[in-house]
Amino acid sequence: MAARLPPLNPLRAFEATARRGAVSAAARELNVTHGAVSHQIKALEEALDTVLFERGGKRLKLTPQGALLLPAVTNAFGEIAAATALMKQPVTSGDLTVTCVPALLSLWLIPRLNTFTDQFPGVRVTLIAANDPENLRSLDTDVSVLYGDGNWPDYWTRLWSRLDLFPIASPTLLNSRPLRSLRDLSDHTLFHGDDGREWSTWLSAADAIDIVRGRQHFMSDARLSTEAALHGQGIALGDTITASHLIARGELVVPFDLTVPANDAFYVACRQSARQAPIVKVFIEWLFSSLEESMPEPQTSARMLLRGRGARAAEPFRPIPAKRRTASNPQRKTRA
């Protein structure tokens, strides 16, 4: 490995110069002379047998070869700096930044966060509502809980939970405007937490894809559509993770017993270097142990039995433990 690497000091001079745009600025940052930086860059170019900067202007400009090298060098030095900082932290104290799917963050993680912070009082947690794999690249992010296909090969990734989807509604709404059949969905507002594909999947499984749809509203994520259902504004699609405790408390009911697999699943992911930090390890362990402990007892709130095609329809809604679920829907992610 060492034989394939360019000399490290010249790499450091190259990265600082490219970032600063001038040899003099890089020299001040590295606390060396202008000539020393120039010499290191020249040595790197000779080692790589290529020109890294276009000379002649007031601000140095990278050649195509230099532009190809810079991101890898910047990331490598960033990872080294992050690992060094982690080595200096106490085992279970310090700052922890977590990005999480908005619905999961609001409806599952935050209600349980105290069980983690009580166990590790020295941890200061920053929570960010986001479902963007690009956050994995940021050195400011320690752990991400994402909804997707889990295909992030450059990062440590582990399946956290699969989930099923089903209609949810406020009991107050259904008491005033009952759902006696699938056709009655036309009299209700449907809330989408995606672009409409999830409702289409469920209606297709219920043999009801052709029913007349009434008013429909589209939300940026499943958290908002669930909140709309909680307020009695209409019918949303819930899932076996974020909606289960709302159903257990009677704040939402499941009018039909039919469930369909969600497009993707929840995954826990982080940079390989961050995975080695004790504070990250204990948080990830807590995530998985809390999932097993938090699954509620089976509920029987479904009011109508359906016999759909290719979906679960044999009994009223039952939250299914993560280790027993299987996914069969290959569509791309839409739920956040």
Side-chain angles (χ1 to χ4, degrees), residues 74-101:
T74 300
N75 185 66
F77 282 127
E79 292 285 348
I80 293 170
T84 302
L86 290 172
M87 291 171 60
K88 297 178 180 179
Q89 285 187 356
V91 173
T92 54
S93 65
D95 296 319
L96 180 73
T97 299
V98 179
T99 69
C100 183
V101 179

Side-chain angles (χ1 to χ4, degrees), residues 7-215:
L8 297 183
N9 279 338
L11 282 175
R12 190 181 178 201
F14 162 73
E15 190 277 335
T17 302
R19 177 164 39 81
R20 293 284 189 171
V23 171
S24 56
R28 287 193 296 270
E29 177 181 313
L30 299 175
N31 197 27
V32 297
T33 66
H34 184 286
V37 173
S38 296
H39 176 75
Q40 295 283 15
I41 292 173
K42 183 178 180 181
L44 181 61
E45 290 179 328
E46 290 176 352
L48 298 174
D49 192 23
T50 189
V51 177
L52 299 173
F53 292 101
E54 295 178 3
R55 275 78 170 178
K58 291 184 178 180
R59 183 179 179 87
L60 290 179
K61 183 180 179 181
L62 288 169
T63 64
Q65 292 83 357
L68 179 64
L69 179 63
L70 179 61
V73 174
T74 300
N75 185 66
F77 282 127
E79 292 285 348
I80 293 170
T84 302
L86 290 172
M87 291 171 60
K88 297 178 180 179
Q89 285 187 356
V91 173
T92 54
S93 65
D95 296 319
L96 180 73
T97 299
V98 179
T99 69
C100 183
V101 179
L104 187 66
L105 179 62
S106 294
L107 301 173
W108 189 92
L109 199 158
I110 288 177
R112 294 167 177 80
L113 183 62
N114 66 302
T115 65
F116 175 77
T117 54
D118 287 349
Q119 185 177 358
F120 302 100
V123 178
R124 296 179 296 274
V125 181
T126 298
L127 299 176
I128 300 172
N131 188 40
D132 186 358
E134 286 298 311
N135 285 319
L136 292 171
R137 299 180 181 273
S138 173
L139 297 178
D140 295 328
T141 299
D142 298 303
V143 182
S144 291
V145 185
L146 299 165
Y147 178 73
D149 58 13
N151 185 26
W152 307 295
D154 295 332
Y155 305 96
W156 179 88
T157 304
R158 181 180 170 187
L159 173 67
W160 187 69
S161 180
R162 302 191 189 278
L163 59 158
D164 296 326
L165 306 178
F166 46 85
I168 51 175
S170 161
T172 302
L173 174 65
L174 296 191
N175 286 336
S176 62
R177 192 181 301 172
L179 274 176
R180 298 185 179 90
S181 71
L182 284 168
R183 294 183 182 277
D184 289 337
L185 284 172
S186 301
D187 298 327
H188 289 270
T189 300
L190 298 186
F191 288 102
H192 299 271
D194 69 335
D195 59 3
R197 280 179 286 177
E198 289 179 342
W199 262 114
S200 293
T201 298
W202 188 88
L203 290 170
S204 178
D207 292 327
I209 193 65
D210 295 327
I211 67 167
V212 177
R213 302 190 196 184
R215 183 178 299 152

